[in-house]
Amino acid sequence: ITLKVTDIDDEIVGVIYDDFTKVKSFSNSYTNKQFTFYKGFFSRYSKKHNVQMPNPFEGIRLPSSTSEPKAISQDTYTALLDSITPENGVQEFKSGKKKSKNHYRPWLKDGIELLLLTGRRREEAINLKFNNIIEDDSGNAVIKIEDYKVNRIANRTTPQTKKYIYIPVTRSLKELLINLNYDQLKGSDQYILAPEITNKRNRIMCDVLTKSFTHYYKLLGLPDKLTLKTLRKTYVTAAHLHTKGEAKEISQHAGSAVIEKHYLDQSALAVAKAAQGFEVFPKEQTRQEELSVIRSEQEKTQNKTIEK
């Protein structure tokens, strides 16, 4: 059946709603997301084509949806990375034409780490390049990346209007970058993650990251249902704690005007300063650092004794 946009009326919308909520029993959050998209589509269509028509998706009472963001613990995260092996990657299917699927990819573990340590979305993380990294003489560094989601929504298509995100390079992120050949590829136009993938990169890698995370996480047999988005939520939660409620200075969510109010060097510096000492999973002091602190305390005690 072929329908014109102007053919969609309340009756058809009712059928769609029942199909979502009763027949297919989609989750409330998924239903809300789709109906919000439909409503936006009709609004944009009417304005773009100058068509005076009622929006059939306007005023629909959508099912309630509660969001309970969950962060992944450090122990669970470590266990997840340890489980990512070729042997564990095979998923068997009981029905269908396809009998099995291997979710393992050589770059998968690095991809999950990159998502956690940058706090960015899939599309943004997989398109990071080494020449996006900005580093000053003191070693402070950020990674400049386009905010694809915001630019699409706001129809920002030119370099002058696009919004960019500055990701602070923490100690853990720097270690990952070095493992991915940062010292050799610094300033190059090479992708940071899986540079060998050039064909249909976004579609292939985004799909693999989402499905592979789910597969390997299920192998842990834990009660919480975590998804790939958990990594971003974990980053934002850690940033919130580190900045005492000013996480937007690091994560740069909507509402923070830090980047767009400054020039490049000032913006990068602002983000780098806000993130000093920040780690998603704070590491314990190394033995060398511990000894340094002990020696310092001993020297203070000795000096006080001598003064007396």
Side-chain angles (χ1 to χ4, degrees), residues 20 25-32 63:
F20 269 72
S25 298
F26 288 130
S27 68
N28 289 357
S29 60
Y30 179 79
T31 299
N32 291 347

Side-chain angles (χ1 to χ4, degrees), residues 2-214:
T2 302
L3 294 173
K4 297 179 181 178
V5 172
T6 53
D7 291 335
I8 307 298
D9 55 19
D10 292 343
E11 184 178 353
I12 293 176
V13 171
V15 172
I16 297 174
Y17 185 86
D18 288 341
D19 184 61
F20 269 72
T21 59
K22 297 177 181 179
V23 179
K24 295 180 179 176
S25 298
F26 288 130
S27 68
N28 289 357
S29 60
Y30 179 79
T31 299
N32 291 347
K33 183 177 181 180
Q34 299 306 310
F35 272 73
T36 299
F37 169 79
Y38 298 149
K39 177 182 175 181
F41 168 78
F42 274 86
S43 177
R44 290 191 295 273
Y45 179 88
S46 178
K47 292 178 181 178
K48 183 176 182 179
H49 298 283
N50 196 24
V51 178
Q52 298 298 321
M53 57 179 289
N55 190 330
F57 290 89
E58 188 75 49
I60 295 177
R61 182 175 295 179
L62 297 173
S64 60
S65 176
T66 56
S67 177
E68 297 182 2
K70 294 181 179 179
I72 189 171
S73 70
Q74 185 169 3
D75 289 342
T76 300
Y77 175 71
T78 301
L80 174 68
L81 293 183
D82 290 341
S83 73
I84 299 177
T85 64
E87 297 76 19
N88 290 337
V90 180
Q91 179 183 8
E92 303 289 347
F93 299 108
K94 295 181 179 179
S95 60
K97 295 181 179 180
K98 202 170 185 179
K99 295 183 178 180
S100 65
K101 180 179 181 179
N102 194 335
H103 292 276
Y104 178 79
R105 299 292 187 279
W107 51 266
L108 181 60
K109 187 180 295 187
D110 292 329
I112 289 177
E113 287 195 74
L114 191 62
L115 286 169
L116 177 82
L117 298 177
T118 60
R120 303 315 307 167
R121 303 177 184 92
R122 298 173 305 174
E123 183 182 8
E124 294 163 354
I126 65 176
N127 281 298
L128 293 175
K129 293 185 176 182
F130 285 102
N131 57 11
N132 295 142
I133 302 173
I134 305 170
E135 188 172 5
D136 65 17
D137 295 335
S138 301
N140 297 312
V142 292
I143 307 177
K144 179 183 177 182
I145 184 67
E146 180 182 337
D147 192 328
Y148 294 107
K149 182 178 180 179
V150 169
N151 290 338
R152 275 196 294 265
I153 293 174
N155 195 30
R156 300 181 179 186
T157 57
T158 64
Q160 293 77 16
T161 60
K162 283 183 178 181
K163 177 184 177 183
Y164 292 89
I165 293 294
Y166 294 87
I167 306 166
V169 178
T170 62
R171 181 176 63 179
S172 297
L173 179 54
K174 184 67 173 291
E175 291 175 359
L176 175 62
L177 293 174
I178 290 174
N179 289 337
L180 294 173
N181 298 320
Y182 173 59
D183 290 336
Q184 293 76 27
L185 300 174
K186 183 186 301 186
S188 72
D189 193 43
Q190 190 95 295
Y191 286 113
I192 292 175
L193 181 66
E196 69 278 4
I197 300 177
T198 56
N199 188 33
K200 298 180 180 178
R201 182 179 175 87
N202 281 14
R203 184 178 65 81
I204 293 174
M205 295 184 71
C206 285
D207 189 56
V208 168
L209 282 167
T210 298
K211 293 182 178 179
S212 296
F213 179 96
T214 299

